[in-house]
Amino acid sequence: MAWYLNNYRCYKCHRYWATDWSCACDDECPYCQARNATAIDSVDLTNIVVQENDAFIVLNSPPTAEHHPDYWEVARFSSAKLAEDFIETLDREF
Ligand SMILES: [Zn+2]
């Protein structure tokens, strides 16, 4: 599993919402409770970069994550560019 931010648009009331979850799965509309709305877009948040003072830390949501991302520190870099390049190599491996 991984971690995703899913964007939804309700097929009944046409409103938008977003949830983060461990899969790009269907959701229930929070406005009219229409079931099985399909995500129109999913942003992969499995690997993210956070800044802490002068360091850019790569966090990973492990395959065991289910209800929370359970982020753990993979590596830290001196620039955001290096951290993002590192994530690209991770994405290639998985
Ligand atoms: Zn709805």
Side-chain angles (χ1 to χ4, degrees):
M1 264 185 282
W3 201 257
Y4 296 96
L5 178 67
N6 300 319
N7 292 300
Y8 297 90
R9 181 170 185 259
C10 181
Y11 56 89
K12 274 175 93 177
C13 68
H14 308 296
R15 289 166 117 158
Y16 293 89
W17 75 95
T19 57
D20 57 334
W21 200 244
S22 56
C23 63
C25 47
D26 292 352
D27 197 15
E28 183 179 285
C29 175
Y31 303 104
C32 74
Q33 279 72 51
R35 289 178 161 272
N36 303 323
T38 304
I40 53 173
D41 186 37
S42 290
V43 181
D44 190 343
L45 296 178
T46 305
N47 297 297
I48 60 166
V49 180
V50 295
Q51 188 175 1
E52 190 185 283
N53 302 321
D54 289 338
F56 293 85
I57 303 166
V58 175
L59 300 180
N60 171 261
S61 173
T64 50
E66 257 182 70
H67 301 291
H68 304 282
D70 294 338
Y71 284 123
W72 63 284
E73 180 179 329
V74 181
R76 48 177 73 207
F77 297 92
S78 56
S79 81
K81 172 87 173 81
L82 287 173
E84 277 154 23
D85 287 351
F86 178 73
I87 286 180
E88 266 179 44
T89 59
L90 286 181
D91 287 346
R92 272 200 294 276
E93 274 170 36
F94 297 125

